[in-house]
Amino acid sequence: MEAAPAARTFSPSSSSAGARPRHTLAYPAPQRARALAAPPPSRAVASSRAPLVVSSPPPASPGPPAAAHAKVDRSGRFCSPRAARELALMISYAACLEGADVVRLFDRRISARREPGYVFDKACLLSYNHMSFGGGPLEVGTEEEAEKLTSQNEKDSANEAEVLSAPPKLVYNNFVLRLSRELLVAVASGWDKHVDIIDKIIPQTWKDEPVARILELCILHIAMAEMTSKGTPHKVVINEAVDLAKRFCDGGAPRVINGCLRTFVKDHVDITGTNQAAEPKA
């Protein structure tokens, strides 16, 4: 399955001033989505993240990352709606790059046969974190701290690569697979209508670089499709879309997606959650 190893976030906390040299670990967010369209390998691969950069920023100290385990059912597979949205995003992004139909690509990935001898360690699922968001440069106090965090980051990224490159049926339960496919069916059926709406509500900078914003546009399509076809509360859909942007996109994408979806709800969705009829405004 196509996916990118996700960058880890270590939130800085306040600390006392000191004369110690400090170092920055830069986590480039675009790396998170770079491998989304890659075909699933026969075995898990190590992280493809770019090397962490060390520089000399102002003083600050990192706080420990919040522990958050993915939701798994008794079969040991992901069972949360968030996992379904994440899977739908991966398929949508890959379909855009390949010029393929999203539903057909989903079905092809689901029915793909495993390579002989492939073994997936389900224990990786317990360490996978759907809430691992990218952030700005991280400052640490010593080379030892930098090496420790770099090592942990590489382990976490390798674990996520193992999970996200595994055959979907080994990672997601039937509920997640069904919901993800339903979202993709809705994306396909509403694509043309939503393209016109998206073109009106996204900033000009995104229009000027559409190829660089495929991932962000896919998030918008999935969110709009869920609002108009699944009846999910608008606030839930917007929050989930923003979290996907935080996880896989960079810069101000989460803020822009939040604003675009709020505009979509205000101007194009009625209280029942369906698209309003396209009527010219006075």
Side-chain angles (χ1 to χ4, degrees):
M1 183 179 64
E2 63 283 0
R8 312 299 299 181
T9 301
F10 300 90
S11 302
S13 60
S14 59
S15 63
S16 58
R20 294 188 303 168
R22 312 199 67 82
H23 309 276
T24 293
L25 301 182
Y27 295 80
Q31 289 286 344
R32 312 187 59 145
R34 190 161 294 174
L36 278 173
S42 58
R43 298 191 61 83
V45 295
S47 169
S48 60
R49 186 193 313 284
L52 301 179
V53 178
V54 178
S55 61
S56 301
S61 64
H69 295 302
K71 294 181 179 179
V72 297
D73 62 10
R74 293 181 179 180
S75 71
R77 295 178 175 86
F78 290 151
C79 60
S80 67
R82 173 165 296 216
R85 297 182 183 99
E86 188 175 277
L87 176 58
L89 175 60
M90 296 174 191
I91 297 296
S92 297
Y93 181 68
C96 286
L97 295 185
E98 295 180 15
D101 178 86
V102 290
V103 180
R104 290 180 181 177
L105 180 58
F106 175 87
D107 292 340
R108 190 167 75 240
R109 294 292 172 86
I110 294 300
S111 61
R113 294 184 178 181
R114 279 176 274 168
E115 293 290 332
Y118 175 83
V119 177
F120 175 65
D121 181 9
K122 284 192 174 182
C124 296
L125 299 180
L126 296 177
S127 299
Y128 183 85
N129 183 5
H130 289 293
M131 298 293 288
S132 174
F133 301 144
L138 169 67
E139 299 171 3
V140 294
T142 65
E143 288 284 357
E144 182 179 357
E145 291 176 356
E147 291 176 0
K148 182 177 180 180
L149 291 180
T150 299
S151 176
Q152 184 61 47
N153 182 65
E154 291 173 350
K155 291 179 181 178
D156 292 339
S157 295
N159 181 79
E160 292 180 339
E162 174 80 15
V163 171
L164 295 176
S165 64
K169 286 186 177 180
L170 298 181
V171 176
Y172 307 100
N173 70 0
N174 290 335
F175 163 76
V176 171
L177 295 177
R178 183 174 64 254
L179 176 56
S180 183
R181 192 179 192 280
E182 290 174 356
L183 290 174
L184 292 174
V185 169
V187 166
S189 63
W191 185 271
D192 292 340
K193 181 185 297 183
H194 292 155
V195 163
D196 293 336
I197 296 175
I198 289 173
D199 187 60
K200 296 176 182 178
I201 62 179
I202 61 175
Q204 184 61 44
T205 53
W206 285 23
K207 297 179 185 180
D208 295 338
E209 50 179 21
V211 176
R213 295 296 177 179
I214 292 177
L215 191 59
E216 289 86 344
L217 298 179
C218 285
I219 292 175
L220 289 175
H221 274 286
I222 292 171
M224 291 177 179
E226 182 171 1
M227 287 183 190
T228 56
S229 68
K230 300 296 293 180
T232 310
H234 302 152
K235 289 184 179 180
V236 172
V237 176
I238 293 175
N239 287 340
E240 290 291 302
V242 169
D243 282 350
L244 282 175
K246 289 179 180 178
R247 181 159 173 72
F248 293 108
C249 305
D250 64 321
R255 176 180 54 81
V256 174
I257 285 176
N258 178 72
C260 288
L261 291 178
R262 291 185 182 279
T263 299
F264 175 69
V265 170
K266 177 182 177 182
D267 297 341
H268 301 280
V269 181
D270 62 24
I271 58 175
T272 65
T274 57
N275 276 2
Q276 296 176 355
E279 298 179 354
K281 294 185 178 180

